[in-house]
Amino acid sequence: MEQPKISLDLILANLAEDAEKAQERVTKASEVLLSPLHTDLATTPYDMVWQEDRVKLKHYRTDVEKSVRTPLLVVYALINRETMLDLQPDRSVVKTFMNSGLDLYMLDWGYPTRKDRYLTIDDHVNGYIDGAVDFIRERTGTEKINLMGICMGGTFCVIYSALHPEKIRNLVTTVTPSSFDTSKGLLHVWMRAIDVDKLVDTFGNLPGDVMNMGFLLLNPARLMIDKYIGFFENMDNRAFVENFVRMEKWIFDSPDVPGETFRQFIKDFYHGNLLIQSKLMVGGKRVDLKRITMPLLNFYGQYDHLVPPEACDKLTKAVGSKDTEDICLDTGHIGIYVSSKTQREFAPKIVRWLMERDGAPAAKKKPAARLAEMMAAAKPAAKEAKGKGKAGKKPAAPRTRGGSAPADRTTGRESMEAR
C-alpha cells in the first residue's frame, strides 16, 4: 500500500490548529456583535434653516474661516438619502468640505407620501430647488451660489442651471447622467424596456423597496451573496462590522419616488434622451444646455455600473461654458464618495476648483493650509481627462485576472459599496 504524501499526524495537527483559530474568531465575533456598536450616520452638526412641504435645507455648523465666499448647495438624488456624504466620521465628504472652509448647505428631500404622487420634475426643480437657492441668496446676501448635484440630483442641477443661470456661479456634477443613449450598464437596458405607465398607475409613488430589489438584481451574486460572505469572514473586526452596518442602513433607507416625476424621468430621459439634445421641456420652457455658461466641473466613475462614463462624459461638450473639466475617477458609483482613496482626491479637488473661481478672501490661510495638506497627502490617481478644447486622455482600465475590470473598485469593500 502506497504511503500518504502527508502524514496523518500533520493533518490532524493542522485540523486542531484551524479549529482553535475558528473558536477564537467566533469568541471575538460574539464579543463584537454583542457589544454596543457605533453605527450612526450623518453625525456632522447642522441646523435645519428652511423647509417647504417635506423638503428641508441643512446648513452645517463650523468655526472654520471661509475659504470660498460663495455658499455651496448640494442636491442629492430622490433615490436613497443624502446621508451618503456623511456616512462615517473618517470618510465624510461633508467633513472635508467643512474643514476646508466651505459654507455648506444640503437639500434633504424627505420621504414622499401619497399626496406627493403628482409632483413633477418642474415642481422639484423650479419649486423646491429654486426655493432653497433663493433662501440661501437672501440669507447670505449673495447674488449667485455654487451648486453641486449627485446622480439624479445632478441631472436636476443641470436643468436648474440651464433655466436659472443668473443664480449659479459654478456648477459641479458628480456621477450625473445626462446622456441616456447607451446600453452600457444593465440599468439603462431595463429602463428603456419597462412599462413605466403600468408601474406608476399601479403603485402611485414608486416604492423604495421595489427600486432596491431592482438594484440588487443588477448584480445578485455580489450584492446578495458575496457581501454577506465578506461580513461573516470579518465579524471579529469591529471597524469592519460598524462600517458594514452603516452601509446597510444607508442602502435600505430608500424613500419612495413621486410617481409623476418617475414617469417623466423614464420617458423623457431613458426613452427620449431629450436633455443632452436640449429638447427637454420643464415648466413650459426648453432646457437649452447652451445657457449653462458658468464653470462646470464634471465627475464620474470609471467602473460605475449604474451611471457609466458614457452617460456622463457628453455634458461638457453640450453646454455653453468655455470653462469645463471632466474627471474620471478610478472607482464606482458610491466609492467616489466613501472610499478612502477618493476621499483624498474628490472633495479636495472640488474645494480647490471652487477657490480658484471664487476670488480669495483675506482670511483664508487656515482652511487653505488644511486643504494643501490634504492635497499633498493625495497621490494624483485621478485621471483628469480634459479641459474643454484640449485633447483628453481617458484612464487605462486596470488589469484583472479575468481580463476585465471589476464593477466597483473602491476600497476593497466592493460588495458593501455596491450602489
Side-chain angles (χ1 to χ4, degrees):
M1 181 177 176
E2 186 178 354
Q3 292 295 322
K5 295 181 180 178
I6 303 176
S7 70
L8 183 60
D9 289 345
L10 180 59
I11 294 174
L12 292 176
N14 288 338
L15 284 175
E17 184 180 354
D18 290 344
E20 186 176 352
K21 289 180 179 177
Q23 186 173 3
E24 289 176 1
R25 286 193 62 234
V26 170
T27 301
K28 189 173 181 182
S30 66
E31 292 174 357
V32 170
L33 297 176
L34 294 176
S35 64
L37 295 173
H38 300 292
T39 60
D40 290 341
L41 311 182
T43 57
T44 305
Y46 61 84
D47 297 308
M48 287 292 188
V49 295
W50 175 88
Q51 179 173 358
E52 183 174 346
D53 303 329
R54 75 184 194 282
V55 182
K56 300 175 182 176
L57 183 64
K58 298 177 177 178
H59 181 233
Y60 288 88
R61 303 173 198 157
T62 180
D63 56 359
V64 177
E65 292 176 287
K66 292 180 183 177
S67 62
V68 178
R69 289 174 297 185
T70 307
L72 173 66
L73 171 61
V74 175
V75 178
Y76 201 81
L78 298 182
I79 300 165
N80 289 115
R81 300 273 292 159
E82 78 289 347
T83 48
M84 168 50 61
L85 295 188
D86 196 20
L87 199 63
Q88 61 191 74
D90 57 337
R91 294 178 189 171
S92 167
V93 173
V94 167
K95 276 201 167 181
T96 302
F97 282 168
M98 301 307 298
N99 291 338
S100 302
L102 291 192
D103 186 14
L104 180 62
Y105 293 81
M106 189 180 299
L107 214 55
D108 174 359
W109 291 112
Y111 296 86
T113 61
R114 291 180 62 187
K115 68 182 178 61
D116 298 311
R117 170 181 177 174
Y118 296 102
L119 293 177
T120 64
I121 292 177
D122 177 33
D123 295 310
H124 288 87
V125 172
N126 291 317
Y128 298 123
I129 294 180
D130 192 46
V133 169
D134 282 346
F135 172 83
I136 297 170
R137 292 169 66 226
E138 183 176 351
R139 187 175 197 239
T140 60
T142 307
E143 183 181 355
K144 297 182 178 183
I145 71 166
N146 294 327
L147 188 60
M148 171 178 162
I150 295 167
C151 192
M152 184 188 195
T155 308
F156 285 1
C157 289
V158 170
I159 297 170
Y160 184 83
S161 299
L163 295 177
H164 305 277
E166 72 281 1
K167 300 181 183 180
I168 303 302
R169 183 176 302 282
N170 299 294
L171 174 63
V172 180
T173 51
T174 65
V175 294
T176 291
S178 55
S179 176
F180 295 76
D181 186 22
T182 176
S183 296
K184 293 289 182 65
L186 191 55
L187 182 64
H188 282 256
V189 177
W190 284 0
M191 290 303 102
R192 283 205 295 271
I194 67 168
D195 187 339
V196 67
D197 288 328
K198 186 173 290 185
L199 269 176
V200 174
D201 293 345
T202 301
F203 287 111
N205 293 335
L206 193 73
D209 289 340
V210 171
M211 287 186 293
N212 249 332
M213 181 54 67
F215 288 129
L216 293 177
L217 292 177
L218 289 171
N219 196 338
R222 185 160 63 93
L223 303 180
M224 301 171 74
I225 299 175
D226 183 58
K227 75 170 182 178
Y228 294 111
I229 292 176
F231 174 74
F232 281 110
E233 290 176 343
N234 291 277
M235 285 192 305
D236 56 338
N237 183 330
R238 177 177 295 278
F240 184 97
V241 170
E242 290 181 342
N243 291 340
F244 184 93
V245 173
R246 287 191 189 100
M247 181 62 77
E248 290 293 279
K249 287 170 72 174
W250 175 80
I251 287 177
F252 293 101
D253 184 9
S254 301
D256 300 344
V257 175
E260 293 309 315
T261 296
F262 184 76
R263 192 198 307 267
Q264 185 182 1
F265 200 79
I266 298 301
K267 286 189 173 182
D268 286 356
F269 293 80
Y270 283 101
H271 295 176
N273 196 28
L274 300 181
L275 178 63
I276 199 68
Q277 304 176 70
S278 290
K279 295 180 179 177
L280 179 70
M281 297 296 293
V282 173
K285 294 182 179 179
R286 185 171 68 89
V287 180
D288 182 1
L289 296 184
K290 293 299 181 187
R291 284 170 54 82
I292 297 180
T293 55
M294 72 288 296
L296 168 63
L297 178 61
N298 184 38
F299 279 97
Y300 47 92
Q302 175 77 358
Y303 307 108
D304 190 335
H305 69 296
L306 295 178
V307 186
E310 290 78 4
C312 306
D313 61 6
K314 298 176 180 59
L315 178 63
T316 51
K317 302 178 184 67
V319 300
S321 174
K322 295 180 180 178
D323 182 1
T324 66
E325 185 175 356
D326 285 316
I327 296 183
C328 183
L329 291 176
D330 185 18
T331 185
H333 193 69
I334 294 305
I336 199 170
Y337 307 104
V338 300
S339 84
S340 56
K341 178 182 175 183
T342 52
Q343 281 292 308
R344 297 192 300 268
E345 304 171 6
F346 173 68
K349 168 62 182 179
I350 292 174
V351 176
R352 185 178 62 183
W353 187 84
L354 291 175
M355 289 173 66
E356 292 170 351
R357 286 153 183 80
D358 189 65
K364 69 157 196 168
K365 288 186 178 180
K366 291 182 180 178
R370 274 189 285 273
L371 177 61
E373 291 174 0
M374 284 187 287
M375 296 301 292
K379 295 181 179 179
K383 311 300 193 279
E384 300 193 12
K386 51 199 174 287
K388 196 163 188 174
K390 298 179 181 178
K393 185 179 180 181
K394 288 193 173 183
R399 296 176 182 173
T400 64
R401 289 182 181 178
S404 59
D408 191 344
R409 301 177 72 256
T410 53
T411 66
R413 300 185 303 120
E414 292 90 346
S415 61
M416 293 168 59
E417 300 169 359
R419 290 169 35 203

